[in-house]
Amino acid sequence: MVDIRELVDAKNGTQSRRIFWDREIYELEMQRIFARCWIFLTHESLIPEFGDFVVTRMGEDEVIVWRQRDGSIKAFLNNCTHRGAKLCTAEAGNSRGFSCSYHGWAFAVEGKLASVPCDSAYGPLFDRQEWGLREVPLVQSYQGFVFGCMDAGAPGLKDYLGDIAWYLDIWADVPGGIELVGPPSRSIIQANWKSPTENFIGDTYHVGWTHASVMAAVLGQAPPQTAWMSEDQGFHVTSRYGHGLGVSTAFYGPMMLVESCPELHEALAVRQAQVEQEKGPEAAKLVSGIWDGSLFPNCSYLYGANVLKVWNPMGPDKVEVMTWTIAERNMSDDLKQRLKVATHRYFGTAGMLESDDIDNFDNSANRGYVTRQGRLNCQMGLGQEREDDVFPGVLGDYMSEVAQRGFYRFYADCLASPNWQDLEEATTRWKSDLLDQ
Amino acid sequence: MVDIRELVDAKNGTQSRRIFWDREIYELEMQRIFARCWIFLTHESLIPEFGDFVVTRMGEDEVIVWRQRDGSIKAFLNNCTHRGAKLCTAEAGNSRGFSCSYHGWAFAVEGKLASVPCDSAYGPLFDRQEWGLREVPLVQSYQGFVFGCMDAGAPGLKDYLGDIAWYLDIWADVPGGIELVGPPSRSIIQANWKSPTENFIGDTYHVGWTHASVMAAVLGQAPPQTAWMSEDQGFHVTSRYGHGLGVSTAFYGPMMLVESCPELHEALAVRQAQVEQEKGPEAAKLVSGIWDGSLFPNCSYLYGANVLKVWNPMGPDKVEVMTWTIAERNMSDDLKQRLKVATHRYFGTAGMLESDDIDNFDNSANRGYVTRQGRLNCQMGLGQEREDDVFPGVLGDYMSEVAQRGFYRFYADCLASPNWQDLEEATTRWKSDLLDQ
Amino acid sequence: MVDIRELVDAKNGTQSRRIFWDREIYELEMQRIFARCWIFLTHESLIPEFGDFVVTRMGEDEVIVWRQRDGSIKAFLNNCTHRGAKLCTAEAGNSRGFSCSYHGWAFAVEGKLASVPCDSAYGPLFDRQEWGLREVPLVQSYQGFVFGCMDAGAPGLKDYLGDIAWYLDIWADVPGGIELVGPPSRSIIQANWKSPTENFIGDTYHVGWTHASVMAAVLGQAPPQTAWMSEDQGFHVTSRYGHGLGVSTAFYGPMMLVESCPELHEALAVRQAQVEQEKGPEAAKLVSGIWDGSLFPNCSYLYGANVLKVWNPMGPDKVEVMTWTIAERNMSDDLKQRLKVATHRYFGTAGMLESDDIDNFDNSANRGYVTRQGRLNCQMGLGQEREDDVFPGVLGDYMSEVAQRGFYRFYADCLASPNWQDLEEATTRWKSDLLDQ
Amino acid sequence: MLNQNRVAIEIHHEIEQFLYHEARLLDNEMLREWFDTMLDPEIRYQMVMQQERFVKDKSPAEAQQIMPFDERHGDLELRIRQFESGLQTMLNPRQRLRRAITNIEAFHQEEENTYLVSSYGIASRHRRLYEHEQVIFGRTDRLKRAEDGALRLVARRIDLDERVVRNKNLLLFL
Amino acid sequence: MLNQNRVAIEIHHEIEQFLYHEARLLDNEMLREWFDTMLDPEIRYQMVMQQERFVKDKSPAEAQQIMPFDERHGDLELRIRQFESGLQTMLNPRQRLRRAITNIEAFHQEEENTYLVSSYGIASRHRRLYEHEQVIFGRTDRLKRAEDGALRLVARRIDLDERVVRNKNLLLFL
Amino acid sequence: MLNQNRVAIEIHHEIEQFLYHEARLLDNEMLREWFDTMLDPEIRYQMVMQQERFVKDKSPAEAQQIMPFDERHGDLELRIRQFESGLQTMLNPRQRLRRAITNIEAFHQEEENTYLVSSYGIASRHRRLYEHEQVIFGRTDRLKRAEDGALRLVARRIDLDERVVRNKNLLLFL
Ligand code: FES
Ligand code: FES
Ligand code: FES
Ligand SMILES: [Fe+3]
Ligand SMILES: [Fe+3]
Ligand SMILES: [Fe+3]
């Protein structure tokens, strides 16, 4: 059995390289993380109408996310319960039901086995009610972001987001709401799913170094790496269930987008005024910044650069990256399309920033028996965690690894806990553990 | 250890998805099924002369099947016993011996290590007699079909075929005998080996649905799926060791072949008369029908469409498909060649019917930890098993899954039994278990 | 747990096929062989100057081998200790330090973490001294060949080479020393790493058979296989730690090279005179022969054909082959380049001899559950081992498998021993065990 | 295919464009247009794979080769009707096929206005999210100039280099 | 792309050589020269992938397609400046890209001296010791003869056959 | 390879057909015919791979490159004799090689009747039941018109894009 506490030293901020490589650990992650936590499915804006659906994954399980007649959303395993063929072969569309390609069992939008060809051949021992699609037990939305959870014993989505919800509201609770502009770009990279997630959760550190080429192209020359660590840069946050984010207020969030989307200037000013009114001036300052963040386990976003990412695991060494553009619902269609192009220019599969990052995540660096005995360091700002009057969660400097440490703290708790009850217990004193350290 | 009874509920006709995915189960299959049961090797007609050989696989073990001087057939592992290099690199041919490419050890047709270059260098501790090719312990034929078995404790081939032999005789025991026209087409598909096997053993259900495009092309429009379930359609059979087959007497067997092979009309009439005389009018009716069948574990055939298939496992998610044309020995060479083309038009790698099927077998549908907790349904006609005065075995309707259930019943017994003695015991009451259910 | 003694019968010279296939055995090899024995890293001539480096592998662990300011050589795992990215992405070059591509941690030539960008963000709990590169504990040279060892408890390199050092001196201890001409060719083949190693350690047997096509091309017709087993052909040697080699004095070593490198004639005569003076006439005779040899576990060479090979494991079924040309330092640059071309003509990835060999090593011959129950034979000359007054080690005929048996004897001891102390004990009576047999 | 019978540059260009046009039609699933405008009614359309036999093997060719296609005009039309049925789940969502054609050489045949054409191809198929397959082949075509002046395909033999098909199926025209 | 508008053989040859020359420039990392000599200032440069949708899906094209590139002259120059920065660790050691171009067909456009060109491509990228990727694509270009008599690329649409990118990235010009 | 030295269309066509013909000869294992009819006795035949070095690396080229082939006429003949020996188990059953050649550009050299030719290639090898390998390469050839009027290959440099060979071996002519 895997010894979790040896793998992750949450207190000292170090991890074993084995968590990025071992198949045994990966299988445990599938079970205790991806079949237990809230997993991003889609945004409501992508399936607005009755019958709209997208197909996505929770861990390695493929699910259909489907708008119901009553406007609610359900999710089902995308597999026929008869002889097991894949049910829906499209990524997205609109349908009130799917017929299996093999023998024609027909499943309705609410998951029922609606009709069975030649059903009179079945006989009385077959009970059609029992063989509907297998439903994801929990599906809930927050700010239109739809999440699913395979474990009926999990806390509700809002509780799961915890301290982070306050922050999400700042950019997502806009009038009219936000939306994701699809379809997502998709690519498969050689990485463990945790590598890009930890990068987006709080890796201020790499920006000035890894992305120097983009800085040089855009700004004429690359600023020094320390440009991202001045006093008033902002902060990073961590939270009970591992989610984290960072805000730099020293940089103008949409700086890379405004050339093709100048309307963003004004939209941002409007939003800033709204937030000031709703949450006060401290919160309002965040609006014009650039944010990075990840929701545990595998959903990341950049506000300012306006991208949302999902890092779908495909084995310990492979990730499928999905990327959407974040827009406000009230924007014009034309602006949304320009935004889509502009965000992909930097963060798509041909993205100028994205391309810089991928080698850094390459999982092959963990190859080797001796190599994997080694530990990794995540100690920047260790011991400097703090609380704040305005900002929820536990904070660290903008240039710190407080959010990554929080991610691995909860990661370890998750793997070590056989169920949500134990997990709740294990994390109940998370804040004092951190602050009293 | 794998819990077989949890994986397969033979009584209720359900299976765990894990049997199509787990490497651990697959390894057990290699041991307890493919190194124990009778495995199709070739047909005698493909190696008629002394020295004729084909190379094929039993499970993942590669074997040379070789015609001996006395007309008997032996089979050997296709590997040199010296440093282990592959011995024969051709698929088929004629040779009285093979010399290993590495150091030239020469093995004779009967498997002996016939000569060792530089043998005087070996010294007295080396005993050449001990290092012949490893022989497959049992090789037997039925109607010219050659099977091998790695377990010397297995029942004889005729016993192993059991109730099914009666049916095979109908189309294979023709005057002059039948033959396979080769070479086989070969392709690798993403499937577990059980998926195509269960399809061919009794999947009437999919024909009208999956193959609607062919029906439309051939008939102008696709008939409804229920067209295959009328009263007098025929039946499916299952037998003690998992073999099964089905006959539809409502369809004219060679309907797809007669356009290019019109001689089949008459041949069929002749054969029908013979069978009537030998086995009676009930049996004769079957002659003009279309049959599907599989011999446990991985050999399938369609009489009427005249193809024989082997589904060679290459891991839990990969199968190499081999396809031969079935012909009567007494047919003209020209007819045999036309038959070869016509059968491949429908069931080759570019076959119009075959191509429809492959997605349905795709093993990736079992990806996902939660997905694999699910069960699959195989209950069509459950509880409606019956015996018949004329037809051996246990019968179900033509539109039923009786044969698939029988396949998985024996599959489970096979995996659960450490040896043939236990396996014989486990299956001894198979018929009453089924009928009294 | 793996039962080593069942896998390798050192006394009788047989092995289980499983050692060439099983993942479990492979993992144990990584631990008990590649993280324990001396592994070839490079030759001093390839990194002559301060800062010169090459990147190579020890087992699957990638290491930087780096010339220090004081002329010594150190080796380090090629991975950043921060978040684990690969450090050096070149194969070779010159540098006094490497900065990680991810966040810019900078490591100096002696392995220290020399500088950390934004280090003031770290805080007092971070100790930079602790996070230098992980160093290979032992790095030593013999005749300029640099080896590393992951186990600090290992005997010194000279002791590890044991009886073989005497032989190496004959061709490597030349005035001015020898050097390797790079860069190496690299290719990946489907083989277990032990297959090519055992081939080079003593496989006289295959030469006349496998390479008959080259003999025919060069000589007009291929001589019989027995041409390599005359009385005065030479001998093979095995030694305590598994290394072995063979010398044929009946063939003129550089016969394939002299056409493009005629200077070799004279160089050889000069060297022969030197050796006669240093080690006597018996040793001198070896100088004009052709030698094959492997150092346990995975470094091979041919003197006469002047190639050095490393067989780097990439899983149980894959090897990366690296090939260098052996030259004398005092040769002219022009001759070295001609030698490089000529050696690759025979032993590069397009090499006329190399190409003949690769199929023989193909690991797929071990596919199959029943196949892997089989054993392999390595008994040529078993029981004919002898000692010699002049030549160190235990000798067998040139046409024998004495060296292969010695390789697998130590291989088994290595896998069975939990540490070097036990391993020393297990091998202490190796010679009498062999000779009294 | 003797060197001296090579067609003149203009005819070569015409043939090359004919083959590229054909590939584009097929890649765009315009099978009926291909069938109607480019094929001669006398078409013989073959795809051939060889069994692995030793070089010295003496068995006749038909014992060594397998033909996934050996079609006449009517057989091809039957296959096209299957594609036109709209009922193949395999093609929904649509697959993306691309036939890159290279190494075109054309030679005059004895019969006037008839050309023997050799070409190589690399066909790629992408389908569903993750499936990607490639098939490498050589072709020997016979082209004839029809009465309307346009070229028609009279015979095609496709030689596949692979013995074991790695494609999900070969239900496609190369 | 009607068959009858095909350009004459000389123009076809010129266009073909233009595309091969372009591939060679790009493969040799001469991006600035490519930008300066082969692109029209009005260039529209697009790369398109399609989401997997059922054939009968009725949603508009922009809801089904994703464009890793939809660039104008200035956007392309920005990207070239990134390559020229010398700061991309991704390109050090250098990668080896090779764009094999096939199936070239060229047609006259209504506008004079303007050609519609269809071509296929197989681009390979080798980098580091073990990475090898391939991307298959079709291109539809618009070429214009500039005042200096030379051809310029006015528009390019690259259609990728793959839905899920298997390349480490697509930071390259096809 | 300056744009302005491109050969005229007729010569280009001749060179293209020469290269296709060569590929077909080699693919059909007619090595001796290739050797006798297409190679100049002064031939220099090189295949080159590059070690992975940082861009700024200052070591000389020969310290960075490895040549699986650097052959003269006699060396090539030696290799052909190996193929002709009939003793290579590697070639029995026979392997299937196919060299798809693309991106051909040809330029006049200073020396009369001499052409510098750049081309790309994708060579595929299928062998045994399951082996399939591909190698991507660029070639720079020097062709000369011999006294008999036919073209001959005087020099060939094959640049492999891969650093680590994935083929079982490279015992083949590209
Ligand atoms: S598998 Fe879906 S209907 Fe049978
Ligand atoms: S391995 Fe077969 S003769 Fe040595
Ligand atoms: S991973 Fe190397 S500096 Fe961060
Ligand atoms: Fe980044
Ligand atoms: Fe079917
Ligand atoms: Fe050899």
Side-chain angles (χ1 to χ4, degrees), chain A residues 29 42 106 136 144 147 159 183 189 216 264 290 294 308 367 381 404 415 432 437:
Chain A
E29 291 172 353
T42 190
V136 178
F147 290 75
D159 288 341
I189 60 172
L264 294 181
I290 179 129
S294 293
L308 188 128
R367 186 175 287 278
Q404 289 100 312
L415 288 191
S432 53
Q437 186 163 326

PDB file of all heavy atoms in Angstrom, chain A residues 29 42 106 136 144 147 159 183 189 216 264 290 294 308 367 381 404 415 432 437:
ATOM      1  N   GLU A  29      -5.296   7.828  -7.070  1.00  0.00           N
ATOM      2  CA  GLU A  29      -5.838   9.159  -7.379  1.00  0.00           C
ATOM      3  C   GLU A  29      -7.177   9.050  -8.102  1.00  0.00           C
ATOM      4  O   GLU A  29      -8.107   9.810  -7.831  1.00  0.00           O
ATOM      5  CB  GLU A  29      -4.851   9.940  -8.260  1.00  0.00           C
ATOM      6  CG  GLU A  29      -3.565  10.356  -7.567  1.00  0.00           C
ATOM      7  CD  GLU A  29      -2.536  10.959  -8.531  1.00  0.00           C
ATOM      8  OE1 GLU A  29      -2.757  10.928  -9.750  1.00  0.00           O
ATOM      9  OE2 GLU A  29      -1.498  11.447  -8.052  1.00  0.00           O
ATOM     10  N   THR A  42     -18.643  21.535 -17.280  1.00  0.00           N
ATOM     11  CA  THR A  42     -18.858  22.477 -18.378  1.00  0.00           C
ATOM     12  C   THR A  42     -19.378  23.772 -17.772  1.00  0.00           C
ATOM     13  O   THR A  42     -19.453  23.908 -16.546  1.00  0.00           O
ATOM     14  CB  THR A  42     -19.858  21.922 -19.419  1.00  0.00           C
ATOM     15  OG1 THR A  42     -19.856  22.765 -20.581  1.00  0.00           O
ATOM     16  CG2 THR A  42     -21.270  21.858 -18.851  1.00  0.00           C
ATOM     17  N   ALA A 106     -32.219   2.604 -26.529  1.00  0.00           N
ATOM     18  CA  ALA A 106     -32.391   4.055 -26.605  1.00  0.00           C
ATOM     19  C   ALA A 106     -32.560   4.642 -25.210  1.00  0.00           C
ATOM     20  O   ALA A 106     -33.438   4.227 -24.456  1.00  0.00           O
ATOM     21  CB  ALA A 106     -33.595   4.392 -27.470  1.00  0.00           C
ATOM     22  N   VAL A 136     -24.264  10.377 -12.629  1.00  0.00           N
ATOM     23  CA  VAL A 136     -23.329  10.991 -11.692  1.00  0.00           C
ATOM     24  C   VAL A 136     -24.162  11.496 -10.516  1.00  0.00           C
ATOM     25  O   VAL A 136     -25.090  12.287 -10.707  1.00  0.00           O
ATOM     26  CB  VAL A 136     -22.578  12.154 -12.374  1.00  0.00           C
ATOM     27  CG1 VAL A 136     -21.647  12.837 -11.388  1.00  0.00           C
ATOM     28  CG2 VAL A 136     -21.811  11.637 -13.593  1.00  0.00           C
ATOM     29  N   GLY A 144     -22.599  29.441 -12.873  1.00  0.00           N
ATOM     30  CA  GLY A 144     -22.749  28.835 -14.175  1.00  0.00           C
ATOM     31  C   GLY A 144     -21.752  27.731 -14.456  1.00  0.00           C
ATOM     32  O   GLY A 144     -21.910  26.980 -15.423  1.00  0.00           O
ATOM     33  N   PHE A 147     -20.304  21.427 -12.103  1.00  0.00           N
ATOM     34  CA  PHE A 147     -19.398  20.406 -11.584  1.00  0.00           C
ATOM     35  C   PHE A 147     -20.192  19.148 -11.273  1.00  0.00           C
ATOM     36  O   PHE A 147     -21.367  19.200 -10.948  1.00  0.00           O
ATOM     37  CB  PHE A 147     -18.715  20.881 -10.287  1.00  0.00           C
ATOM     38  CG  PHE A 147     -17.718  21.984 -10.495  1.00  0.00           C
ATOM     39  CD1 PHE A 147     -18.136  23.282 -10.740  1.00  0.00           C
ATOM     40  CD2 PHE A 147     -16.352  21.726 -10.445  1.00  0.00           C
ATOM     41  CE1 PHE A 147     -17.208  24.311 -10.933  1.00  0.00           C
ATOM     42  CE2 PHE A 147     -15.427  22.734 -10.635  1.00  0.00           C
ATOM     43  CZ  PHE A 147     -15.850  24.034 -10.880  1.00  0.00           C
ATOM     44  N   ASP A 159     -19.891  24.641  -0.553  1.00  0.00           N
ATOM     45  CA  ASP A 159     -19.016  24.352   0.575  1.00  0.00           C
ATOM     46  C   ASP A 159     -17.640  23.906   0.110  1.00  0.00           C
ATOM     47  O   ASP A 159     -16.621  24.232   0.711  1.00  0.00           O
ATOM     48  CB  ASP A 159     -19.619  23.245   1.454  1.00  0.00           C
ATOM     49  CG  ASP A 159     -20.824  23.764   2.237  1.00  0.00           C
ATOM     50  OD1 ASP A 159     -20.957  25.000   2.383  1.00  0.00           O
ATOM     51  OD2 ASP A 159     -21.638  22.927   2.680  1.00  0.00           O
ATOM     52  N   PRO A 183     -15.772  25.944 -29.277  1.00  0.00           N
ATOM     53  CA  PRO A 183     -15.383  24.724 -28.584  1.00  0.00           C
ATOM     54  C   PRO A 183     -13.992  24.843 -27.984  1.00  0.00           C
ATOM     55  O   PRO A 183     -13.223  25.711 -28.390  1.00  0.00           O
ATOM     56  CB  PRO A 183     -15.401  23.683 -29.716  1.00  0.00           C
ATOM     57  CG  PRO A 183     -15.138  24.461 -30.953  1.00  0.00           C
ATOM     58  CD  PRO A 183     -15.747  25.808 -30.735  1.00  0.00           C
ATOM     59  N   ILE A 189      -0.544  16.216 -23.790  1.00  0.00           N
ATOM     60  CA  ILE A 189       0.863  16.504 -23.505  1.00  0.00           C
ATOM     61  C   ILE A 189       1.432  15.446 -22.567  1.00  0.00           C
ATOM     62  O   ILE A 189       0.698  14.744 -21.871  1.00  0.00           O
ATOM     63  CB  ILE A 189       1.049  17.917 -22.904  1.00  0.00           C
ATOM     64  CG1 ILE A 189       0.281  18.062 -21.583  1.00  0.00           C
ATOM     65  CG2 ILE A 189       0.603  18.983 -23.890  1.00  0.00           C
ATOM     66  CD1 ILE A 189       0.586  19.358 -20.838  1.00  0.00           C
ATOM     67  N   ALA A 216       9.750  39.583 -24.264  1.00  0.00           N
ATOM     68  CA  ALA A 216      10.625  40.267 -25.218  1.00  0.00           C
ATOM     69  C   ALA A 216       9.869  40.641 -26.484  1.00  0.00           C
ATOM     70  O   ALA A 216      10.022  41.737 -27.021  1.00  0.00           O
ATOM     71  CB  ALA A 216      11.828  39.375 -25.552  1.00  0.00           C
ATOM     72  N   LEU A 264     -12.355  45.893 -23.841  1.00  0.00           N
ATOM     73  CA  LEU A 264     -12.118  45.362 -22.498  1.00  0.00           C
ATOM     74  C   LEU A 264     -11.765  46.454 -21.511  1.00  0.00           C
ATOM     75  O   LEU A 264     -12.047  46.357 -20.317  1.00  0.00           O
ATOM     76  CB  LEU A 264     -11.006  44.312 -22.540  1.00  0.00           C
ATOM     77  CG  LEU A 264     -11.334  43.029 -23.319  1.00  0.00           C
ATOM     78  CD1 LEU A 264     -10.144  42.074 -23.260  1.00  0.00           C
ATOM     79  CD2 LEU A 264     -12.580  42.350 -22.768  1.00  0.00           C
ATOM     80  N   ILE A 290      -4.169  40.559 -12.912  1.00  0.00           N
ATOM     81  CA  ILE A 290      -4.142  39.286 -13.617  1.00  0.00           C
ATOM     82  C   ILE A 290      -4.146  38.174 -12.579  1.00  0.00           C
ATOM     83  O   ILE A 290      -3.394  38.212 -11.618  1.00  0.00           O
ATOM     84  CB  ILE A 290      -2.939  39.194 -14.580  1.00  0.00           C
ATOM     85  CG1 ILE A 290      -2.951  37.824 -15.285  1.00  0.00           C
ATOM     86  CG2 ILE A 290      -1.598  39.389 -13.882  1.00  0.00           C
ATOM     87  CD1 ILE A 290      -2.844  37.931 -16.757  1.00  0.00           C
ATOM     88  N   SER A 294      -6.349  27.540  -9.569  1.00  0.00           N
ATOM     89  CA  SER A 294      -6.788  26.178  -9.851  1.00  0.00           C
ATOM     90  C   SER A 294      -7.784  25.745  -8.799  1.00  0.00           C
ATOM     91  O   SER A 294      -7.631  26.052  -7.613  1.00  0.00           O
ATOM     92  CB  SER A 294      -5.609  25.186  -9.837  1.00  0.00           C
ATOM     93  OG  SER A 294      -4.716  25.421 -10.889  1.00  0.00           O
ATOM     94  N   LEU A 308      -9.928  29.340 -19.410  1.00  0.00           N
ATOM     95  CA  LEU A 308     -10.213  28.290 -18.450  1.00  0.00           C
ATOM     96  C   LEU A 308      -9.671  26.991 -19.015  1.00  0.00           C
ATOM     97  O   LEU A 308      -9.825  26.701 -20.206  1.00  0.00           O
ATOM     98  CB  LEU A 308     -11.715  28.169 -18.210  1.00  0.00           C
ATOM     99  CG  LEU A 308     -12.067  27.211 -17.067  1.00  0.00           C
ATOM    100  CD1 LEU A 308     -12.999  27.875 -16.067  1.00  0.00           C
ATOM    101  CD2 LEU A 308     -12.651  25.923 -17.583  1.00  0.00           C
ATOM    102  N   ARG A 367      11.830   9.908 -14.884  1.00  0.00           N
ATOM    103  CA  ARG A 367      12.285   8.578 -15.247  1.00  0.00           C
ATOM    104  C   ARG A 367      13.513   8.209 -14.419  1.00  0.00           C
ATOM    105  O   ARG A 367      14.387   9.021 -14.198  1.00  0.00           O
ATOM    106  CB  ARG A 367      12.631   8.543 -16.741  1.00  0.00           C
ATOM    107  CG  ARG A 367      12.978   7.182 -17.281  1.00  0.00           C
ATOM    108  CD  ARG A 367      13.178   7.240 -18.797  1.00  0.00           C
ATOM    109  NE  ARG A 367      11.927   7.388 -19.502  1.00  0.00           N
ATOM    110  CZ  ARG A 367      11.096   6.377 -19.803  1.00  0.00           C
ATOM    111  NH1 ARG A 367      11.388   5.144 -19.458  1.00  0.00           N
ATOM    112  NH2 ARG A 367       9.970   6.610 -20.435  1.00  0.00           N
ATOM    113  N   GLY A 381       8.329  30.995   0.689  1.00  0.00           N
ATOM    114  CA  GLY A 381       7.388  31.663   1.590  1.00  0.00           C
ATOM    115  C   GLY A 381       6.851  30.767   2.686  1.00  0.00           C
ATOM    116  O   GLY A 381       5.881  31.130   3.370  1.00  0.00           O
ATOM    117  N   GLN A 404       0.561  26.230  -3.925  1.00  0.00           N
ATOM    118  CA  GLN A 404       0.991  24.872  -4.280  1.00  0.00           C
ATOM    119  C   GLN A 404       1.037  23.995  -3.025  1.00  0.00           C
ATOM    120  O   GLN A 404       0.604  22.836  -3.065  1.00  0.00           O
ATOM    121  CB  GLN A 404       2.391  24.887  -4.927  1.00  0.00           C
ATOM    122  CG  GLN A 404       2.422  25.473  -6.325  1.00  0.00           C
ATOM    123  CD  GLN A 404       2.906  26.906  -6.358  1.00  0.00           C
ATOM    124  OE1 GLN A 404       2.419  27.737  -5.553  1.00  0.00           O
ATOM    125  NE2 GLN A 404       3.806  27.216  -7.267  1.00  0.00           N
ATOM    126  N   LEU A 415      -5.839  11.397  -0.522  1.00  0.00           N
ATOM    127  CA  LEU A 415      -5.362  10.038  -0.785  1.00  0.00           C
ATOM    128  C   LEU A 415      -5.371   9.187   0.479  1.00  0.00           C
ATOM    129  O   LEU A 415      -5.579   7.971   0.425  1.00  0.00           O
ATOM    130  CB  LEU A 415      -3.941  10.073  -1.354  1.00  0.00           C
ATOM    131  CG  LEU A 415      -3.762  10.566  -2.780  1.00  0.00           C
ATOM    132  CD1 LEU A 415      -2.346  10.275  -3.254  1.00  0.00           C
ATOM    133  CD2 LEU A 415      -4.769   9.935  -3.735  1.00  0.00           C
ATOM    134  N   SER A 432      -5.531  26.481  11.233  1.00  0.00           N
ATOM    135  CA  SER A 432      -4.650  26.680  12.378  1.00  0.00           C
ATOM    136  C   SER A 432      -3.349  25.901  12.188  1.00  0.00           C
ATOM    137  O   SER A 432      -2.270  26.370  12.556  1.00  0.00           O
ATOM    138  CB  SER A 432      -5.360  26.273  13.677  1.00  0.00           C
ATOM    139  OG  SER A 432      -5.864  24.961  13.551  1.00  0.00           O
ATOM    140  N   GLN A 437       2.078  27.071  12.428  1.00  0.00           N
ATOM    141  CA  GLN A 437       3.273  26.311  12.062  1.00  0.00           C
ATOM    142  C   GLN A 437       4.543  27.030  12.493  1.00  0.00           C
ATOM    143  O   GLN A 437       4.691  28.214  12.270  1.00  0.00           O
ATOM    144  CB  GLN A 437       3.251  26.131  10.538  1.00  0.00           C
ATOM    145  CG  GLN A 437       4.339  25.239   9.990  1.00  0.00           C
ATOM    146  CD  GLN A 437       3.967  24.802   8.574  1.00  0.00           C
ATOM    147  OE1 GLN A 437       2.793  24.608   8.275  1.00  0.00           O
ATOM    148  NE2 GLN A 437       4.963  24.647   7.729  1.00  0.00           N
TER     149      GLN A 437
END
